[in-house]
């Protein structure tokens, strides 16, 4: 039979309690270090995510933010400078920034609806163009300010992104006409 004195019992108990407290403190320190690392890792991941989204937002589409010189397919002369902008829904619109041909910047006389007799400068002539893979586009529409007609539109970037070949058409692509726009550097 073992007989343990109260003093010995209290001393052993206190020793065990001290060891448990030290273990508990050690675990708290480890946990705080781990949480600190998690918070640091979360901050790094968040920063990388924001950086990546900023990079992808600016490089979302090769046409976004570019300016093009529209070329008349009959005369082969420059007509206007047009700028593409990406819309919140991911499609692209293009707006006339300036008209090259003197005397033709004043109005869209043959246009219908809200464009009738409006200035060509600031006129959105391409709407809803979608990137369908790489440098190919489809699903948009283009307004011809001379005729006032709106056509379905598809196109593709050529020559390393320096030319934009567009096809405006009614119904099927075979019934339409082409234009090549030249990128302004």
């Amino acid at each position: 039979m073992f007989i343990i004195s109260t003093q010995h019992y209290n001393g052993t108990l206190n020793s065990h309690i001290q060891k448990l407290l030290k273990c508990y403190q050690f675990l708290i320190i480890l946990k705080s270090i781990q949480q600190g690392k998690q918070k640091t890792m979360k901050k790094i991941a968040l920063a990388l995510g924001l950086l990546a989204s900023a990079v992808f937002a600016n490089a979302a589409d090769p046409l976004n933010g570019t300016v093009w010189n529209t070329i008349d397919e009959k005369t082969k002369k420059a007509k206007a400078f047009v700028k593409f902008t990406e819309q919140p829904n991911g499609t692209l619109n293009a707006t006339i920034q300036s008209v090259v041909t003197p005397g033709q910047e004043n109005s869209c006389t043959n246009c219908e609806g809200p464009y009738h007799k409006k200035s060509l400068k600031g006129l959105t002539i391409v709407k809803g163009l979608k990137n369908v893979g790489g440098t190919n586009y489809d699903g948009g529409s283009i307004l011809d300010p001379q005729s006032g007609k709106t056509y379905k539109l598809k196109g593709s970037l050529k020559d390393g992104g320096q030319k934009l070949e567009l096809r405006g058409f009614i119904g099927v692509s075979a019934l339409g006409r082409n234009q090549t726009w030249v990128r302004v550097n």
Side-chain angles (χ1 to χ4, degrees), residues 7-153:
Q7 186 179 13
H8 178 27
Y9 177 76
N10 285 341
T12 306
L13 184 62
N14 283 339
S15 174
H16 288 298
I17 289 173
Q18 291 299 320
K19 288 179 184 176
L20 285 173
L21 284 174
K22 286 184 181 181
C23 286
Y24 180 72
Q25 289 171 345
F26 180 72
L27 290 173
I28 289 174
I29 291 170
L30 280 178
K31 186 174 181 181
S32 68
I33 290 171
Q34 185 179 23
Q35 284 177 342
K37 285 182 180 177
Q38 286 177 345
K39 287 180 182 177
T40 302
M41 292 304 289
K42 285 180 183 178
K43 287 178 184 176
I44 291 171
L46 178 64
L48 289 174
L50 291 173
L51 179 64
S53 66
V55 168
F56 288 124
N58 287 335
D61 193 280
L63 279 181
N64 186 28
T66 58
V67 178
W68 298 83
N69 194 348
T70 64
I71 308 295
D72 186 290
E73 71 272 14
K74 294 175 188 167
T75 66
K76 305 295 183 207
K77 292 185 180 182
K79 294 178 4 180
F81 292 106
V82 175
K83 183 176 182 179
F84 279 92
T85 54
E86 190 168 357
Q87 304 306 299
N89 66 0
T91 63
L92 293 155
N93 288 358
T95 304
I96 296 176
Q97 301 295 300
S98 63
V99 177
V100 176
T101 310
Q104 292 190 3
E105 64 275 343
N106 292 332
S107 69
C108 190
T109 54
N110 293 325
C111 295
E112 297 175 359
Y115 304 116
H116 185 65
K117 294 190 178 181
K118 296 288 182 184
S119 171
L120 295 181
K121 185 176 179 180
L123 183 67
T124 301
I125 60 170
V126 173
K127 288 187 177 181
L129 196 60
K130 297 176 196 131
N131 186 314
V132 292
T135 59
N136 297 310
Y137 297 86
D138 202 353
S141 64
I142 187 166
L143 171 69
D144 178 1
Q146 284 185 318
S147 69
K149 294 181 181 176
T150 301
Y151 301 92
K152 290 182 180 180
L153 180 66

Side-chain angles (χ1 to χ4, degrees), residues 61-69 82 84 131 134-137 155-165 180-185:
D61 193 280
L63 279 181
N64 186 28
T66 58
V67 178
W68 298 83
N69 194 348
V82 175
F84 279 92
N131 186 314
T135 59
N136 297 310
Y137 297 86
S156 61
L157 288 169
K158 301 291 183 187
D159 293 338
Q162 295 304 305
K163 292 184 180 178
L164 178 60
E165 290 185 1
T180 301
W181 295 357
V182 179
R183 187 180 204 141
V184 177
N185 293 326

Side-chain angles (χ1 to χ4, degrees), residues 1-6 8-9:
M1 203 188 262
F2 294 101
I3 299 177
I4 301 174
S5 69
T6 307
H8 178 27
Y9 177 76

